[in-house]
Amino acid sequence: MRAILADRLRLLFALNIPRAFNALVVLLGYYWSRLSSMPRHFGMPVALAIEPTTACNLGCPECPSGLRKFSRPTGNLKLELLEGLLQETRNTTAYITFYFQGEPFIHPGIFDMIRLASSKGIYTATSTNAHFLDSERAKQVVLSGLSRLIISIDGTTQEVYEQYRKGGELDKVIKGTEEVLAWKKRLKSATPHVIFQFLVVKPNQHQIPEVKRLAKDLGVDELRFKTAQVYDFQNGNPLIPDIPEYSRYKQNKSGQWEIKNTLDNHCWKMWHSCVITQNGEVVPCCFDKDASHSLGNISDGGLKAIWQGEKYRNFRAALLRSRKEIDICRNCSEGTKVWA
């Protein structure tokens, strides 16, 4: 609990006076838009998700990276693109996640990216399958200044783990976790805050008590359970857990499956954050994995013109009218709470 509190305080302290003011005006615009049903937007993103790479070493069944089914360009983010973005957003953005699709630690310059953002007092996070965290990389994770490291661990035995993490090795995940925790101790560093993330699917739901024990034994700072997004859910899916609290979906009276989210006509994410792909495309959120709703490219004049531009405004207006009519929103489990 102490580690969790310290992590949240680090995030809060990233909100210096200019960033806090920006967050306030963004929040005011969000509530004004909800009340008026018209898109009002002020300020710049409080949070960014930046995609280091689309490459991945695993073949997870509900992931475009794993399935190799992208219709958008694949590749690695260029450091110059990030440098320009940080120059523009350093006084407004408090939180950057270096993750969208792909495995971040495949990118050869990932530590340079983290160091660059961390040096500006930005809270930094990434999510990994931990297969590349040998001793040297684990040391660099700690030295980079990374604030939060999310490690996906979707099973406590190899047999169960590999049912979703196709091609993965559970031993590497555990070893990589141990290396990061060991270097934190050796370097007397409070960061990164290490989170085990357990994606609950039907094949692994029986291991929830076991992953709690494993997280405690290893000494990670936090354990989170995540509900799984599946693409074909209406007629059921073997990945949907039958423990209701861990499922994004429920059966209706006709026997069809539907998402639990009521999809109210507002979404905090559309006002406070966005995703930037490895080639600079700006997309509304992490549910637009194929960048089918690209709102512009930061290479063509920066983020501000896109963030406050007509295309983004029209997207927010469409969401306020009827969120259910936007394809990427129909399978969404987020966006109904501020700071959720």
Side-chain angles (χ1 to χ4, degrees):
M1 184 60 70
R2 186 179 298 175
I4 294 174
L5 177 60
D7 175 64
R8 304 309 185 266
L9 286 174
R10 278 190 289 273
L11 177 55
L12 182 62
F13 291 154
L15 282 170
N16 56 24
I17 292 175
R19 292 172 187 165
F21 179 77
N22 176 69
L24 178 61
V25 298
V26 169
L27 187 65
L28 289 173
Y30 170 66
Y31 279 113
W32 188 356
S33 300
R34 285 185 58 176
L35 289 170
S36 66
S37 295
M38 294 290 290
R40 304 286 200 278
H41 197 274
F42 315 106
M44 289 285 283
V46 177
L48 295 172
I50 299 172
E51 180 181 63
T53 182
T54 51
C56 189
N57 55 309
L58 302 186
C60 305
E62 295 293 321
C63 175
S65 291
L67 295 171
R68 287 24 172 201
K69 286 189 175 179
F70 280 125
S71 61
R72 61 183 174 93
T74 58
N76 291 342
L77 179 72
K78 293 181 179 178
L79 189 60
E80 311 88 77
L81 202 67
L82 177 63
E83 289 171 339
L85 178 66
L86 291 177
Q87 182 65 26
E88 183 180 10
T89 62
R90 67 190 186 281
N91 292 323
T92 51
T93 297
Y95 185 170
I96 290 179
T97 300
F98 285 101
Y99 174 74
F100 178 30
Q101 297 298 293
E103 165 53 45
F105 290 103
I106 286 178
H107 195 301
I110 184 63
F111 298 117
D112 293 330
M113 295 178 189
I114 295 168
R115 277 191 289 267
L116 186 60
S118 298
S119 69
K120 299 184 184 304
I122 296 171
Y123 183 100
T124 54
T126 193
S127 180
T128 178
N129 61 44
H131 280 60
F132 297 93
L133 294 178
D134 56 21
S135 180
E136 181 55 33
R137 286 196 182 96
K139 180 182 179 181
Q140 291 305 315
V141 166
V142 179
L143 292 175
S144 69
L146 183 70
S147 308
R148 179 183 294 179
L149 179 67
I150 300 171
I151 296 175
S152 296
I153 180 160
D154 304 327
T156 59
T157 61
Q158 177 62 26
E159 180 185 10
V160 171
Y161 175 79
E162 67 185 1
Q163 288 186 56
Y164 188 80
R165 296 289 170 180
K166 303 291 185 182
E169 298 177 40
L170 180 61
D171 286 347
K172 287 186 176 181
V173 180
I174 294 174
K175 181 64 175 173
T177 302
E178 291 174 334
E179 290 286 2
V180 172
L181 294 173
W183 276 110
K184 275 183 67 176
K185 189 174 182 179
R186 280 180 224 168
L187 296 171
K188 298 180 181 179
S189 176
T191 57
H193 180 75
V194 179
I195 299 174
F196 258 2
Q197 182 169 273
F198 192 85
L199 183 72
V200 182
V201 289
K202 194 167 185 179
N204 72 12
Q205 62 183 19
H206 64 287
Q207 292 190 333
I208 289 174
E210 295 173 25
V211 79
K212 289 179 180 179
R213 286 193 292 272
L214 179 61
K216 184 177 181 181
D217 290 344
L218 290 174
V220 298
D221 298 309
E222 189 175 346
L223 171 64
R224 291 183 178 182
F225 296 99
K226 184 179 180 182
T227 60
Q229 175 190 3
V230 297
Y231 288 101
D232 298 316
F233 61 84
Q234 290 84 357
N235 296 314
N237 187 297
L239 291 174
I240 297 176
D242 48 29
I243 305 175
E245 67 182 290
Y246 295 116
S247 176
R248 296 187 185 187
Y249 312 95
K250 62 181 180 180
Q251 276 186 296
N252 58 29
K253 293 179 180 178
S254 65
Q256 290 282 300
W257 288 82
E258 60 187 19
I259 194 161
K260 290 178 180 177
N261 193 341
T262 56
L263 295 181
D264 296 333
N265 296 331
H266 57 87
C267 178
W268 171 232
K269 279 186 175 291
M270 293 305 100
W271 269 257
H272 91 278
S273 66
C274 66
V275 175
I276 299 172
T277 69
Q278 57 81 23
N279 65 328
E281 295 292 320
V282 177
V283 299
C285 77
C286 60
F287 282 87
D288 191 7
K289 294 178 172 59
D290 236 350
S292 57
H293 293 275
S294 175
L295 301 163
N297 194 298
I298 61 172
S299 300
D300 299 328
L303 179 60
K304 185 174 182 179
I306 299 169
W307 182 250
Q308 297 181 351
E310 183 179 3
K311 203 169 183 179
Y312 225 133
R313 187 164 55 252
N314 290 341
F315 188 90
R316 294 185 183 107
L319 184 145
L320 291 169
R321 285 195 303 271
S322 180
R323 190 173 167 201
K324 293 177 182 178
E325 292 183 22
I326 301 175
D327 56 348
I328 61 171
C329 296
R330 294 189 200 118
N331 202 0
C332 177
S333 61
E334 303 182 45
T336 57
K337 294 180 182 178
V338 175
W339 300 113

